[in-house]
Amino acid sequence: DAKTTQPTSMDCAEGRAANLPCNHSTISGNEYVYWYRQIHSQGPQYIIHGLKNNETNEMASLIITEDRKSSTLILPHATLRDTAVYYCIVRDLAHNFNKFYFGSGTKLNVKP
Amino acid sequence: DARVTQTPRHKVTEMGQEVTMRCQPILGHNTVFWYRQTMMQGLELLAYFRNRAPLDDSGMPKDRFSAEMPDATLATLKIQPSEPRDSAVYFCASGLTGGGGITGELFFGEGSRLTVL
């Protein structure tokens, strides 16, 4: 039931910014954009979420386009430990209540 | 350091045996999720609970799977009888739900890797 489209994989050089895109062209006004990542053999880890405005925390920045049909997760200085599968998820807090549906995600390979 | 705890971390069993996986959500969290992950299907939502009540288990095979929360500190996922196709990593996650649903983080455990021979 994922409503997002992400590239299957991306490469990034260590120390450079990693920009992970996500398309959510059918997003509605009530839906938030969430990003999680899953490092090999571990449980998924929350990164960031937003509704309309750009957001930044200690892990990443989230840039949401003005029409909200796409977003980009930015890891400003990627390290080898950032190699993981990154999931972009949209959630309607009011109607889809608590469900988090994970799509296929983007496998980010950070290379030395 | 609050975390979701899952046991066992690894389980190998034979087809037909009963398997029980346990999850201790983060203290104070009122919503618990069960996910299953395989290479072919990715992360599938099996069931979730709020305040110990099952809200949705539509993703769970009803004939052999059951999920319960005997108390606020324990969630269980049981498979009886187990089959080879149940081999997967099972994740438990917890969060705090307010009036409009979970607004922030969903915390995942490290998973229980099940192999059914």
Side-chain angles (χ1 to χ4, degrees):
Chain A
D1 199 26
K3 296 187 279 188
T4 62
T5 304
Q6 299 177 252
T8 302
S9 64
M10 292 182 63
D11 290 338
C12 178
E14 188 179 19
R16 304 297 295 268
N19 297 284
L20 292 96
C22 179
N23 286 323
H24 29 79
S25 57
T26 60
I27 195 170
S28 68
N30 299 322
E31 290 183 313
Y32 284 72
V33 179
Y34 283 76
W35 283 84
Y36 279 75
R37 74 179 183 183
Q38 187 173 23
I39 296 171
H40 182 61
S41 298
Q42 298 181 19
Q45 175 191 24
Y46 167 83
I47 301 173
I48 199 167
H49 75 284
L51 181 63
K52 295 180 183 178
N53 299 322
N54 298 337
E55 302 287 344
T56 295
N57 62 21
E58 66 278 3
M59 289 182 69
S61 295
L62 174 60
I63 307 299
I64 302 175
T65 58
E66 191 169 345
D67 63 7
R68 303 207 323 122
K69 293 183 183 300
S70 65
S71 61
T72 301
L73 178 75
I74 300 173
L75 308 179
H77 304 287
T79 71
L80 298 178
R81 289 176 296 179
D82 292 321
T83 293
V85 177
Y86 288 77
Y87 297 97
C88 171
I89 304 161
V90 295
R91 285 188 64 242
D92 180 345
L93 294 180
H95 295 102
N96 214 11
F97 208 50
N98 294 327
K99 294 185 180 183
F100 278 78
Y101 287 106
F102 290 77
S104 301
T106 296
K107 176 66 190 306
L108 176 67
N109 299 300
V110 180
K111 300 186 174 181
Chain B
D1 187 21
R3 63 179 65 187
V4 176
T5 303
Q6 290 187 245
T7 57
R9 291 294 312 279
H10 301 276
K11 175 73 174 180
V12 179
T13 190
E14 293 187 347
M15 182 173 62
Q17 296 298 304
E18 178 180 299
V19 175
T20 298
M21 288 166 278
R22 295 176 173 81
C23 168
Q24 181 176 357
I26 291 174
L27 188 65
H29 282 185
N30 61 356
T31 308
V32 173
F33 298 75
W34 283 104
Y35 284 88
R36 174 172 64 182
Q37 186 172 37
T38 61
M39 289 293 293
M40 295 298 296
Q41 299 296 327
L43 273 163
E44 301 175 273
L45 177 62
L46 296 177
Y48 71 94
F49 294 76
R50 183 182 179 187
N51 296 326
R52 297 176 55 201
L55 289 191
D56 190 337
D57 61 1
S58 59
M60 203 164 63
K62 297 293 190 300
D63 54 340
R64 300 182 298 106
F65 284 59
S66 61
E68 295 180 344
M69 281 200 75
D71 60 59
T73 65
L74 177 64
T76 63
L77 180 66
K78 185 178 296 186
I79 308 174
Q80 168 64 20
S82 58
E83 298 181 1
R85 58 178 169 157
D86 301 329
S87 297
V89 181
Y90 291 81
F91 288 103
C92 174
S94 73
L96 187 60
T97 301
I102 292 181
T103 58
E105 298 183 50
L106 191 62
F107 293 83
F108 282 78
E110 292 300 310
S112 293
R113 181 176 295 276
L114 173 65
T115 302
V116 183
L117 302 175

